Amino acid sequence: MERTDQSWESVERLHAWLRESNTYPPEQEVLLRVLKLSEEVGEVAQAVIGAKGQNPRKGTTHSWQDVESELCDVIITAMVALRTLTPDAAGTFTSRLDHVVNRSLGD
């Protein structure tokens, strides 16, 4: 079964939901979205440390599936932050991805 990617539509819905409950001015809203991204990256690090059992006091506390979930949270949070900066988040992302692919892999 072919699945249509509706990721940016979902991001738009999440962005609208967050805007409804936002009580900060727009410039602070952007700042908070970026700070949230840092928080999510920290959760990835915590999950990797937990999956490797690198905290002797805690032992193995996470699975690699937890790491995958946390990485997805980082991506989702970054997409919402990008949407907070621009209504054309999908176009901005696609343009940047194309640039990075061409720079890295050539035409």
Side-chain angles (χ1 to χ4, degrees):
M1 177 191 302
E2 185 176 318
R3 180 180 177 266
T4 302
D5 187 356
Q6 297 178 335
S7 299
W8 286 106
E9 291 174 24
S10 297
V11 166
E12 190 65 38
R13 290 176 51 220
L14 288 168
H15 176 261
W17 173 69
L18 288 167
R19 294 256 12 227
E20 288 174 12
S21 62
N22 179 48
T23 59
Y24 294 98
E27 65 277 359
Q28 288 183 12
E29 181 183 10
V30 171
L31 177 63
L32 292 171
R33 296 278 181 275
V34 173
L35 288 174
K36 180 66 176 172
L37 183 57
S38 296
E39 177 188 23
E40 294 296 341
V41 170
E43 291 176 13
V44 172
Q46 182 180 21
V48 170
I49 290 168
K52 296 296 288 179
Q54 289 302 296
N55 184 332
R57 185 174 52 82
K58 294 181 181 179
T60 301
T61 58
H62 292 75
S63 68
W64 287 105
Q65 289 77 25
D66 293 328
V67 175
E68 291 170 5
S69 293
E70 295 298 343
L71 284 169
C72 289
D73 289 350
V74 168
I75 294 165
I76 294 164
T77 302
M79 291 172 80
V80 171
L82 181 59
R83 173 53 190 92
T84 302
L85 286 169
T86 178
D88 186 24
T92 301
F93 176 77
T94 299
S95 176
R96 184 62 183 170
L97 180 59
D98 289 346
H99 171 80
V100 171
V101 168
N102 288 331
R103 179 185 67 201
S104 301
L105 305 176
D107 293 329

